[in-house]
mmCIF file of all heavy atoms in Angstrom:
data_model
loop_
_atom_site.group_PDB
_atom_site.id
_atom_site.type_symbol
_atom_site.label_atom_id
_atom_site.label_comp_id
_atom_site.label_asym_id
_atom_site.label_seq_id
_atom_site.Cartn_x
_atom_site.Cartn_y
_atom_site.Cartn_z
ATOM 1 N N VAL A 13 4.592 16.051 -2.058
ATOM 2 C CA VAL A 13 4.729 16.822 -0.830
ATOM 3 C C VAL A 13 5.016 15.903 0.350
ATOM 4 O O VAL A 13 5.877 16.186 1.175
ATOM 5 C CB VAL A 13 3.440 17.651 -0.570
ATOM 6 C CG1 VAL A 13 3.486 18.325 0.773
ATOM 7 C CG2 VAL A 13 3.222 18.653 -1.688
ATOM 8 N N LYS A 14 4.305 14.792 0.429
ATOM 9 C CA LYS A 14 4.420 13.922 1.606
ATOM 10 C C LYS A 14 4.111 12.484 1.230
ATOM 11 O O LYS A 14 3.153 12.216 0.501
ATOM 12 C CB LYS A 14 3.442 14.391 2.686
ATOM 13 C CG LYS A 14 3.462 13.622 3.964
ATOM 14 C CD LYS A 14 4.664 13.950 4.807
ATOM 15 C CE LYS A 14 4.577 13.281 6.165
ATOM 16 N NZ LYS A 14 5.674 13.640 7.019
ATOM 17 N N TRP A 31 -3.017 13.357 8.099
ATOM 18 C CA TRP A 31 -1.908 14.171 7.627
ATOM 19 C C TRP A 31 -1.873 15.429 8.478
ATOM 20 O O TRP A 31 -2.859 16.152 8.573
ATOM 21 C CB TRP A 31 -2.081 14.512 6.155
ATOM 22 C CG TRP A 31 -1.022 15.390 5.583
ATOM 23 C CD1 TRP A 31 0.296 15.354 5.855
ATOM 24 C CD2 TRP A 31 -1.215 16.423 4.613
ATOM 25 N NE1 TRP A 31 0.959 16.301 5.115
ATOM 26 C CE2 TRP A 31 0.054 16.976 4.342
ATOM 27 C CE3 TRP A 31 -2.318 16.928 3.947
ATOM 28 C CZ2 TRP A 31 0.239 18.013 3.446
ATOM 29 C CZ3 TRP A 31 -2.127 17.949 3.052
ATOM 30 C CH2 TRP A 31 -0.871 18.486 2.801
ATOM 31 N N ASP A 32 -0.735 15.731 9.064
ATOM 32 C CA ASP A 32 -0.605 16.863 9.984
ATOM 33 C C ASP A 32 -0.223 18.178 9.305
ATOM 34 O O ASP A 32 -0.033 19.187 9.970
ATOM 35 C CB ASP A 32 0.413 16.538 11.072
ATOM 36 C CG ASP A 32 1.773 16.170 10.507
ATOM 37 O OD1 ASP A 32 1.975 16.273 9.289
ATOM 38 O OD2 ASP A 32 2.639 15.753 11.300
ATOM 39 N N GLY A 33 -0.099 18.200 7.981
ATOM 40 C CA GLY A 33 0.217 19.432 7.265
ATOM 41 C C GLY A 33 1.700 19.699 7.115
ATOM 42 O O GLY A 33 2.095 20.794 6.748
ATOM 43 N N TRP A 34 2.537 18.700 7.375
ATOM 44 C CA TRP A 34 3.979 18.829 7.203
ATOM 45 C C TRP A 34 4.387 18.109 5.933
ATOM 46 O O TRP A 34 3.796 17.099 5.565
ATOM 47 C CB TRP A 34 4.709 18.215 8.392
ATOM 48 C CG TRP A 34 4.448 18.927 9.676
ATOM 49 C CD1 TRP A 34 3.400 18.710 10.527
ATOM 50 C CD2 TRP A 34 5.199 19.989 10.248
ATOM 51 N NE1 TRP A 34 3.473 19.563 11.599
ATOM 52 C CE2 TRP A 34 4.584 20.366 11.455
ATOM 53 C CE3 TRP A 34 6.352 20.663 9.863
ATOM 54 C CZ2 TRP A 34 5.072 21.381 12.264
ATOM 55 C CZ3 TRP A 34 6.845 21.666 10.675
ATOM 56 C CH2 TRP A 34 6.207 22.020 11.856
ATOM 57 N N ASP A 35 5.412 18.632 5.251
ATOM 58 C CA ASP A 35 5.918 17.951 4.070
ATOM 59 C C ASP A 35 7.044 16.990 4.449
ATOM 60 O O ASP A 35 7.375 16.839 5.620
ATOM 61 C CB ASP A 35 6.369 18.955 3.003
ATOM 62 C CG ASP A 35 7.572 19.795 3.408
ATOM 63 O OD1 ASP A 35 8.212 19.498 4.424
ATOM 64 O OD2 ASP A 35 7.868 20.766 2.678
ATOM 65 N N ASN A 36 7.646 16.338 3.459
ATOM 66 C CA ASN A 36 8.719 15.366 3.713
ATOM 67 C C ASN A 36 9.972 16.005 4.299
ATOM 68 O O ASN A 36 10.786 15.323 4.899
ATOM 69 C CB ASN A 36 9.081 14.622 2.425
ATOM 70 C CG ASN A 36 8.091 13.540 2.082
ATOM 71 O OD1 ASN A 36 7.425 12.987 2.943
ATOM 72 N ND2 ASN A 36 7.967 13.254 0.804
ATOM 73 N N LEU A 37 10.138 17.330 4.120
ATOM 74 C CA LEU A 37 11.321 18.027 4.636
ATOM 75 C C LEU A 37 11.106 18.625 6.017
ATOM 76 O O LEU A 37 11.996 19.263 6.569
ATOM 77 C CB LEU A 37 11.742 19.127 3.656
ATOM 78 C CG LEU A 37 12.098 18.652 2.242
ATOM 79 C CD1 LEU A 37 12.380 19.840 1.338
ATOM 80 C CD2 LEU A 37 13.264 17.691 2.276
ATOM 81 N N GLY A 38 9.897 18.466 6.574
ATOM 82 C CA GLY A 38 9.607 18.985 7.906
ATOM 83 C C GLY A 38 9.080 20.401 7.917
ATOM 84 O O GLY A 38 9.003 21.031 8.969
ATOM 85 N N ASN A 39 8.694 20.925 6.749
ATOM 86 C CA ASN A 39 8.119 22.265 6.651
ATOM 87 C C ASN A 39 6.598 22.179 6.646
ATOM 88 O O ASN A 39 6.030 21.223 6.118
ATOM 89 C CB ASN A 39 8.575 22.955 5.360
ATOM 90 C CG ASN A 39 10.077 23.030 5.258
ATOM 91 O OD1 ASN A 39 10.750 23.425 6.196
ATOM 92 N ND2 ASN A 39 10.611 22.623 4.120
ATOM 93 N N THR A 40 5.944 23.195 7.198
ATOM 94 C CA THR A 40 4.480 23.222 7.114
ATOM 95 C C THR A 40 4.081 23.648 5.709
ATOM 96 O O THR A 40 4.767 24.455 5.081
ATOM 97 C CB THR A 40 3.869 24.191 8.140
ATOM 98 O OG1 THR A 40 4.391 25.496 7.917
ATOM 99 C CG2 THR A 40 4.159 23.748 9.552
ATOM 100 N N VAL A 41 2.999 23.096 5.235
ATOM 101 C CA VAL A 41 2.506 23.454 3.906
ATOM 102 C C VAL A 41 1.428 24.518 4.035
ATOM 103 O O VAL A 41 0.833 24.694 5.101
ATOM 104 C CB VAL A 41 1.966 22.219 3.153
ATOM 105 C CG1 VAL A 41 3.050 21.177 2.967
ATOM 106 C CG2 VAL A 41 0.776 21.617 3.864
#
Side-chain angles (χ1 to χ4, degrees):
V13 173
K14 181 75 173 183
W31 178 38
D32 57 6
W34 295 86
D35 66 11
N36 282 333
L37 300 175
N39 303 312
T40 58
V41 300

